[in-house]
Amino acid sequence: MSVAALNRTLEQELLALLRGASLECLVCGEFVLHGNGCVACPECGAQFGPAAADTGALLQLQTG
Ligand SMILES: [Zn+2]
């Protein structure tokens, strides 16, 4: 799979996540929590938001 194809897949997964169509964390696969227009994973601390999708930065990770 090419990098572009992988990015495309991640983008689709991210959009599904933000729409609420998917509830699995893209990083660890645990259930995520929705709130304030973004999605956060309580398990690994990853946060996914519309801003990240708009700027092309697919994953906005905030750890710790
Ligand atoms: Zn996670």
Side-chain angles (χ1 to χ4, degrees):
M1 180 181 287
S2 70
V3 173
L6 180 61
N7 278 343
R8 188 64 185 166
T9 300
L10 282 174
E11 186 175 72
Q12 293 298 321
E13 296 270 336
L14 178 60
L15 290 177
L17 195 65
L18 295 177
R19 285 200 314 267
S22 173
L23 294 175
E24 287 188 1
C25 174
L26 299 183
V27 179
C28 70
E30 292 294 325
F31 286 112
V32 294
L33 300 176
H34 285 249
N36 286 335
C38 66
V39 178
C41 174
E43 187 68 23
C44 70
Q47 293 185 354
F48 312 96
D54 287 344
T55 59
L58 294 179
L59 303 181
Q60 189 174 38
L61 300 179
Q62 295 182 354
T63 57

